[in-house]
Amino acid sequence: AQSVTQPDIHITVSEGASLELRCNYSYGATPYLFWYVQSPGQGLQLLLKYFSGDTLVQGIKGFEAEFKRSQSSFNLRKPSVHWSDAAEYFCAVSMMNNQGGKLIFGQGTELSVKP
Amino acid sequence: EAGVAQSPRYKIIEKRQSVAFWCNPISGHATLYWYQQILGQGPKLLIQFQNNGVVDDSQLPKDRFSAERLKGVDSTLKIQPAKLEDSAVYLCASSLGRGLGETQYFGPGTRLLVL
């Protein structure tokens, strides 16, 4: 069955440090992959998505993600974290349903930023 | 461009009561989704509409949950009767189409607490 795993429930980094959030997926076909961010009391905002082509994808707010088919991974990175990046991050894969697509989400990684 | 609107933002009810949530998608978006997000988990799709028809309701507990999207625009999700385990954030999202790679835009959610 299709699934998304985010191994880290909670990560704390210092402001200015680099960040990598892990995501592994299980999907038989070529995956469509997404990273969303959810700030407290807010809905989910799309950071970036991967469909095909260049395996390094650039997103908003200085985030990037790299698709590695051999490792079934789509890890999110940022070179220098800002305090405003503290939020919950969700990785998702799009799978087919009735000629359309639906998102399967991981359980999320909560990011805390130390001053 | 206005985003996805949801109301109410918060609701507290007692078990066995009924409750309804409303969603207004982004103008022109044909596909509308309702997700349930239990604390500490990623969102789970409950039901997906294409215009006013149901595309996927495989994970909707149909004995107590119902949803409609009259006229293919606004949507209402109802729970009757509510159970303690229904405490969650209910997220509405919309997308232009329903393809695999469609970007879904999320509303702020309705936080439900069942006592």
Side-chain angles (χ1 to χ4, degrees):
Chain A
Q2 290 80 4
S3 65
V4 177
T5 301
Q6 294 180 246
D8 304 305
I9 295 174
H10 189 202
I11 284 181
T12 300
V13 300
S14 298
E15 191 168 16
S18 62
L19 170 70
E20 182 168 28
L21 302 182
R22 296 183 291 164
C23 172
N24 293 98
Y25 66 90
S26 171
Y27 189 61
T30 301
Y32 290 72
L33 295 160
F34 302 77
W35 274 100
Y36 280 86
V37 61
Q38 185 177 35
S39 298
Q42 303 295 316
L44 280 73
Q45 180 184 21
L46 180 69
L47 286 175
L48 48 80
K49 58 186 179 183
Y50 170 78
F51 295 162
S52 64
D54 193 345
T55 57
L56 186 62
V57 181
Q58 301 298 320
I60 62 171
K61 304 185 180 186
F63 286 93
E64 66 179 26
E66 186 171 13
F67 170 63
K68 293 185 177 179
R69 185 185 299 276
S70 61
Q71 298 178 19
S72 297
S73 69
F74 188 56
N75 294 348
L76 183 71
R77 301 195 295 246
K78 187 170 185 178
S80 178
V81 169
H82 188 261
W83 64 266
S84 60
D85 293 324
E88 186 136 28
Y89 292 79
F90 292 94
C91 181
V93 63
S94 182
M95 62 169 284
M96 285 295 294
N97 70 332
N98 293 336
Q99 303 176 16
K102 70 175 184 181
L103 291 178
I104 305 296
F105 285 89
Q107 63 269 46
T109 297
E110 184 179 357
L111 173 66
S112 296
V113 180
K114 293 189 300 185
Chain B
E1 178 183 86
V4 176
Q6 289 188 248
S7 67
R9 292 296 308 275
Y10 305 92
K11 191 74 177 178
I12 300 175
I13 62 172
E14 296 188 348
K15 60 183 179 183
R16 292 188 288 274
Q17 286 186 323
S18 63
V19 65
F21 312 128
W22 173 82
C23 173
N24 185 27
I26 293 173
S27 177
H29 280 196
T31 310
L32 185 147
Y33 314 78
W34 282 102
Y35 289 86
Q36 180 191 57
Q37 185 179 16
I38 292 173
L39 188 65
Q41 299 181 19
K44 181 185 78 172
L45 181 69
L46 291 176
I47 188 166
Q48 178 180 348
F49 292 95
Q50 176 72 13
N51 296 311
N52 60 350
V54 175
V55 172
D56 186 342
D57 63 356
S58 58
Q59 297 198 81
L60 186 74
K62 298 180 185 63
D63 58 333
R64 297 184 300 106
F65 286 65
S66 64
E68 60 183 9
R69 191 183 183 198
L70 300 176
K71 300 180 183 178
V73 182
D74 294 6
S75 177
T76 303
L77 176 70
K78 297 179 181 177
I79 308 175
Q80 183 178 15
K83 293 185 175 181
L84 297 178
E85 59 260 37
D86 298 331
S87 294
V89 176
Y90 291 84
L91 295 165
C92 179
S94 69
S95 64
L96 203 56
R98 65 175 186 182
L100 265 181
E102 288 288 340
T103 296
Q104 296 182 24
Y105 297 87
F106 285 80
T110 296
R111 188 174 298 273
L112 174 67
L113 179 61
V114 182
L115 302 175

